[in-house]
Amino acid sequence: MGTYKQTGTESNATLAPARSRAKPPPMYKVLLLNDDFTPMDFVIVVLEKFFSLSREQATGVMLKVHREGKGACGVYPLDMAATKVKQVNAFSRQHQHPLACVMEEN
Ligand code: TYC
């Protein structure tokens, strides 16, 4: 300690490998599923409100889900993905729509 002065370079050389060895947290994709009843405008509002998409981005994702059956809204760590799914499904039920939000490991 007292004998050797730690330089910025030495400090970084020691810390860098430890950081790169830490594996990134598992990520989860949050998806909307298509149905025949939820209004398109409601899906757009959900994508804006819960996933911070612009009106244009939200419209694009909604149309993809409508045409292809499902579509990604975002990718998050486990707890954030689970919270999005709960919030979206609760909001949809409050408004009496069957819109389904699910998550899957990315
Ligand atoms: N298919 C619905 C309709 O025609 C629109 C819709 C889009 C519903 C996306 C759900 O996740 C969804 N009104």
Side-chain angles (χ1 to χ4, degrees):
M1 268 287 261
T3 310
Y4 302 102
K5 187 176 175 187
Q6 196 171 40
T7 69
T9 303
E10 286 160 354
S11 175
N12 289 344
T14 303
L15 290 173
R19 285 174 196 271
S20 60
R21 268 200 307 277
K23 59 177 176 186
M27 300 293 277
Y28 293 81
K29 195 183 295 181
V30 176
L31 305 144
L32 287 181
L33 306 184
N34 189 37
D35 66 72
D36 292 338
F37 306 103
T38 305
M40 290 184 173
D41 285 351
F42 182 80
V43 178
I44 292 170
V45 168
V46 164
L47 289 163
E48 290 175 334
K49 178 178 172 67
F50 293 99
F51 300 97
S52 303
L53 299 191
S54 68
R55 174 60 54 123
E56 293 71 28
Q57 291 170 324
T59 301
V61 172
M62 182 280 295
L63 285 173
K64 179 185 168 68
V65 177
H66 177 70
R67 292 172 182 149
E68 299 177 19
K70 65 180 179 176
C73 312
V75 181
Y76 305 94
L78 178 61
D79 55 343
M80 280 183 64
T83 299
K84 297 282 181 200
V85 167
K86 277 205 157 193
Q87 289 175 334
V88 169
N89 288 327
F91 185 71
S92 299
R93 251 37 98 225
Q94 281 163 23
H95 292 268
Q96 282 83 50
H97 296 308
L99 178 62
C101 184
V102 301
M103 61 194 270
E104 63 181 32
E105 194 168 358
N106 198 24

